Every structure is written in C-alpha cells, then in structure tokens.
Amino acid sequence: MTTTSIEGYKLGKVLIEGKTKQVYDLPEHPGLCLLLSKDRITAGDGVKAHDLAGKAEISNTTNGQVFRLLNEAGIRTAYVKHCGAKAFIARKCEMIPIEWVTRRLATGSFLKRNVGVPEGYRFSPPKQETFFKDDANHDPQWSEEQIISAKFELNGLPIGQDEVDIMRRTTLLVFEILERAWQTKNCALIDMKVEFGIDADGNIVLADIIDSDSWRLWPSGDKRLMVDKQVYRNLTSVTSSDLDTVKRNFIWVSEQLADIVPRKDHLVVVLMGSASDTSHSEKIATSCRFLGLNVELRVSSAHKGPEETLRIVREYESVMNNLIFVAVAGRSNGLGPVVSGSTNYPVINCPPVKSDNMQVDVWSSLNLPSGLGCATVLYPEAAALHAATILGLGNFMIWSRLRVKGLNNFITLKKADKELRGVRSA
C-alpha cells in the first residue's frame, strides 16, 4: 500500500531513498521535506541487512531527541519537527557527500588503519576524520585537501577551506555537547559520525539522521556493555534473539535520551541599588536569557536598606541551590561586597559606570576588604557570560550555549573575511 500523507503532510515524489530511510518532497510546503525511517538495519555498506520491526519508530524517536537537544543548544540544523512515529520534517538542503567522524577513543576501523595504536588510546582533543560517501568503494577516507580539491558546489555555495573549517569546528562541538550529555547518564560517547547539507540560503547545516547507527556508546565506559549498532556489526550469524538484543539496546538508548536535557533549576538574581539602574540591569537580563539563563531583577540598596538586602538574599538562598547574584550599583558600591560577605553563592559586580567617572566609581568594586571574593566586570554581556560560565560547570546545556556562541562568532568572522578578502589593485 502506497503512503500518500503522514500527519496531514501530503507526500510528493521520493527525492532520495537509502538503505534505512526515504526522503519525500512536500509539495504543499516549499523548502521542507519529510524523512521516513525504515524497519531495516544494515552494516558493511548494506552487505549485511535485516528487517527489524520497530526500528523505524525507535530511530525516529532517538533522532528527534538528539536534534531537539542540539537545536536548544543553538546548533544550526535542518531538523524542524517530529512528524508521526516514523518520520520527521526537515529543511531541504543539498547534502555534502562527506561523513565527518569524531573519535574520543581509538577503536574499530581506526585500529586497522593505524597499526600499532592500542585500543582505548584517548584523543585529546578528539580525533577528526573525513570519509567520502561512496558505497561501491567502501566510503574511502579523504583528506581535507581532497575535499577542497573536489570543488563541490551545493545550492550555489562552493565548498572551500572556509566551509571545511566551519564543518570541522561544528562537528567537534556537536560531539562534545553529546559527550557531556551522555556523561550525565554515566555513558561514554566513543565516536560518532555526522553529515552536513547546504540549505536554500547557502548556510551550512547539520543534517541527515543521528541515532544509534551513528555512534559508539559504552555505558560506564565499558566496551563489553556497548548499546549501539556495533553489537549488530560484530555478529557473524544473526538470529531472531540477536535482533531482539539489538532492539532492546536501541530502546534503552532512546529511553535515556528522554530526560537527558537538564532542568532549568538555576537563577541569576540581578540586584540593583536603585531603579535608575534598570536600563543597565535589563541589558544583563537580556544577555542572560540569550544564554538560556533564568533571571530576575530586584531593587535594594545595601547602604540605605541593608536589612532588606540581606532578607532578599536569604529568600533566594532558601529555595535555590544553583544561584548567582549580580550587583549593579554605581558610585560607592556597597551592594556587591555586602552580599558577597553574607553569602557563599557567587557574586558578580557590574557597576553602571560612565566614561566621565569610571576610574573613581569602579574602584569601590575592585578594592575589596580581605575575605571577599566577588568578581567585577564592566559590561552587561560580560556579567551574563561570567554567570553562565559558573552555572555551565554543572549544566551541560548552559555550557553548550556558551560554546555555540563562540562557534557562531567564528562563523561570522569567517564569512566576513571571505566576503572582503582579495587583492585590490592600486
């Protein structure tokens, strides 16, 4: 029976059909496509293949959980939304025929290609490799120079050194985000592969599918407990019982991902000494929210109402564990030092100094009595970044958003340089 629609999306022609998925055009939704997973598991470029009832739904669930996590972190992806049990909606893009592999530990094919390296050798930073997608030739490993020399052009974007640099940086960050996520489940992400596409606007986006076919995952860092497709790859003969084991592993992975995104159980409290500091404090709050931080503004003067200031501090201490105070006070800053001396939570001074009195006003935030450890920054964004750096130590999503901000800065500079570079004749 031919499927004509899924969850109200009318299916057009099949754009691509792979071993484990079909990609459909969505004629009523220009710019979008639908990826439908199959109840099929394969290995060895399709030489080993079996039907596996339920795999499509498990794969689709896992893929959605991973991409929603990466989207929340701020990674630019093609993934749009879940669409029924076995499918999802994505932005159309032209795929770059390169698999990017990132490895934390040496295992699998790496050992065969690098004789003498012991299994478990730890790569710091992670090792990155690239492979040209070509089943007939078993996806040969390609160098960076080969990728550039291939002169791929997709959706009008030539793939050169700048694009390779962006994909390399993004690949590494995707691995590190998921590695930290899996650490919260006491699982070691050993290696993984990803692919990129170019969307209609010429942007490089993380695309395709990321599921248990895409990585090696070892609970407790123990290879014997692996729960990924390698279990299937290792089978010399495949029984129904073996397939049940593989399926149970895949279900377990999906269940772990269901609640892997950490709770937003933190708070940044911006204490301002006067309502006249509201504009400065709102800039701090805006930067906090951009980084995914919960923030609340309060007004209290440590000089004019010290008892109320301490009452506010105790109020938050009684209900929050992951708590940071940002003190916004000009002239003589008593607010930050008083709060710092009265709490064990981090305190960040961000005085609303002006250029005509900066040297005088900032001194009260810098020249602190002994025993006080509050930091001082001058710009609202810096206060938010400092708060996020502290909270990110215990929350991989906040850490991830910080890292993605750095990645986006890198991409912006790359694009600007590409646009402006070139010798200009006198």
Side-chain angles (χ1 to χ4, degrees):
M1 181 177 176
T2 303
T3 302
T4 59
S5 68
I6 296 177
E7 295 289 306
Y9 285 88
K10 181 180 178 181
L11 303 184
K13 66 179 180 179
V14 175
L15 300 174
I16 305 170
E17 180 156 9
K19 297 184 287 290
T20 59
K21 66 176 180 291
Q22 293 172 305
V23 182
Y24 287 90
D25 185 31
L26 296 176
E28 295 178 353
H29 300 273
L32 298 180
C33 60
L34 180 143
L35 282 77
L36 179 64
S37 292
K38 300 178 182 179
D39 284 332
R40 190 81 170 153
I41 187 168
T42 69
D45 299 323
V47 173
K48 180 191 288 187
H50 292 84
D51 291 331
L52 183 58
K55 180 181 181 291
E57 186 169 345
I58 300 165
S59 173
N60 190 52
T61 300
T62 300
N63 176 73
Q65 290 163 328
V66 172
F67 271 100
R68 284 192 294 273
L69 184 158
L70 294 173
N71 282 346
E72 183 174 339
I75 295 289
R76 180 172 285 175
T77 80
Y79 183 90
V80 176
K81 67 174 184 176
H82 199 77
C83 185
K86 300 179 181 181
F88 68 94
I89 306 298
R91 280 181 285 277
K92 279 184 180 177
C93 47
E94 294 188 5
M95 297 298 295
I96 303 168
I98 299 293
E99 282 187 350
W100 289 80
V101 175
T102 307
R103 303 181 186 276
R104 177 60 79 185
L105 299 182
T107 191
S109 65
F110 182 88
L111 301 178
K112 297 176 183 177
R113 288 180 283 104
N114 296 272
V115 177
V117 178
E119 184 166 32
Y121 183 97
R122 186 174 182 83
F123 301 115
S124 298
K127 173 73 70 177
Q128 292 184 276
E129 298 177 305
T130 46
F131 298 86
F132 178 56
K133 288 177 66 65
D134 180 3
D135 283 351
N137 291 297
H138 308 293
D139 295 348
Q141 186 174 8
W142 270 24
S143 66
E144 185 174 287
E145 292 76 15
Q146 285 174 294
I147 298 172
I148 295 169
S149 299
K151 299 186 183 302
F152 297 121
E153 183 170 333
L154 303 131
N155 267 336
L157 180 69
I159 306 302
Q161 185 67 61
D162 297 308
E163 290 69 34
V164 168
D165 290 344
I166 290 170
M167 288 186 284
R168 187 175 298 284
R169 286 267 191 130
T170 305
T171 298
L172 178 59
L173 182 52
V174 167
F175 178 86
E176 291 180 334
I177 290 172
L178 293 176
E179 180 181 46
R180 282 180 176 252
W182 278 114
Q183 284 172 354
T184 67
K185 297 293 185 177
N186 192 29
C187 286
L189 182 60
I190 305 303
D191 54 41
M192 71 174 296
K193 62 181 180 181
V194 298
E195 296 180 37
F196 293 91
I198 309 299
D199 68 15
D201 297 321
N203 295 309
I204 298 172
V205 294
L206 187 70
D208 199 51
I209 290 174
I210 300 176
D211 61 8
S212 288
D213 290 8
S214 308
W215 53 37
R216 283 187 176 88
L217 192 62
W218 298 353
S220 303
D222 189 339
K223 181 181 179 180
R224 296 169 298 179
L225 302 178
M226 67 175 71
V227 288
D228 49 73
K229 196 172 80 169
Q230 192 62 39
V231 174
Y232 175 74
R233 293 190 191 101
N234 290 345
L235 295 170
T236 54
S237 61
V238 182
T239 66
S240 59
S241 177
D242 293 327
L243 291 175
D244 286 343
T245 297
V246 171
K247 183 177 177 179
R248 281 197 303 272
N249 287 340
F250 288 2
I251 291 172
W252 183 87
V253 169
S254 180
E255 289 174 345
Q256 298 305 303
L257 285 166
D259 63 352
I260 204 166
V261 175
R263 293 181 300 151
K264 292 187 175 182
D265 57 350
H266 64 271
L267 184 62
V268 177
V269 178
V270 180
L271 282 169
M272 62 189 96
S274 167
S276 64
D277 299 324
T278 299
S279 176
H280 187 79
S281 299
E282 286 286 6
K283 292 176 183 177
I284 297 173
T286 297
S287 293
C288 283
R289 286 190 290 268
F290 178 79
L291 294 168
L293 305 183
N294 299 325
V295 61
E296 187 170 359
L297 306 184
R298 300 293 297 268
V299 180
S300 182
S301 170
H303 286 131
K304 301 174 183 177
E307 297 88 354
E308 176 64 6
T309 297
L310 295 181
R311 187 199 67 76
I312 290 173
V313 170
R314 298 293 175 255
E315 173 188 329
Y316 288 106
E317 286 181 330
S318 70
V319 294
M320 298 297 300
N321 288 322
N322 297 315
L323 180 64
I324 293 178
F325 294 99
V326 178
V328 177
R331 296 187 180 180
S332 177
N333 176 19
L335 187 57
V338 166
V339 174
S340 180
S342 304
T343 185
N344 289 328
Y345 289 99
V347 177
I348 303 167
N349 294 315
C350 188
V353 294
K354 296 179 174 60
S355 58
D356 58 349
N357 62 0
M358 180 181 294
Q359 291 181 323
V360 175
D361 281 5
V362 78
W363 189 243
S364 61
S365 297
L366 295 173
N367 191 26
L368 302 174
S370 61
L372 300 184
C374 47
T376 297
V377 298
L378 296 182
Y379 303 107
E381 183 189 33
L385 288 170
H386 190 35
T389 300
I390 296 169
L391 293 169
L393 294 172
N395 184 313
F396 79 81
M397 185 55 70
I398 296 173
W399 178 92
S400 299
R401 292 181 74 98
L402 277 171
R403 289 293 305 277
V404 170
K405 179 178 172 60
L407 172 66
N408 288 338
N409 289 340
F410 173 80
I411 293 173
T412 298
L413 290 170
K414 271 285 184 185
K415 288 183 175 180
D417 179 60
K418 181 179 180 180
E419 183 177 340
L420 294 174
R421 77 168 69 117
V423 176
R424 303 183 187 187
S425 300

